[in-house]
Amino acid sequence: MKPFEVTVECELFRISERRQPGGALSYDIAWLDGPTERAYVFTVGKFTVGSEGHTSDAEARMTEEELLDEVRGFVLSWRAGEGGGA
């Protein structure tokens, strides 16, 4: 997946796919216009219980809608923690 930018809840994010050091597929989500000068980045991924540390790409791959849900949840949680700011 090529990195892409998306606006969620009026906030700008870049989503990119990468491999963890152990080979697991994950997604980095950078908040590009957040409250600090530098982008705030967090990582999400799907892992199968009992997979002995390895989840197949087919099981780990997230859809765009799943990724947008992760971003939306982050923004709403952040706003709730800031007393409804932003």
Side-chain angles (χ1 to χ4, degrees):
M1 174 182 87
K2 288 186 178 242
F4 65 97
E5 291 184 2
V6 62
T7 300
V8 174
E9 300 290 325
C10 300
E11 304 290 343
L12 180 62
F13 293 86
R14 181 184 310 114
I15 300 174
S16 56
E17 186 179 272
R18 76 173 165 99
R19 296 264 173 210
Q20 294 289 331
L25 187 62
S26 65
Y27 299 87
D28 292 325
I29 301 172
W31 188 6
L32 302 178
D33 62 350
T36 62
E37 290 181 25
R38 298 174 63 187
Y40 182 90
V41 181
F42 61 100
T43 301
V44 298
K46 293 185 345 186
F47 301 95
T48 304
V49 174
S51 62
E52 297 181 17
H54 181 74
T55 300
S56 72
D57 284 358
E59 294 173 303
R61 185 156 280 111
M62 296 178 74
T63 66
E64 186 172 324
E65 189 59 38
E66 289 173 317
L67 292 164
L68 295 177
D69 285 345
E70 291 286 341
V71 174
R72 190 171 295 106
F74 167 81
V75 171
L76 296 176
S77 293
W78 182 84
R79 288 181 180 168
E82 293 293 313

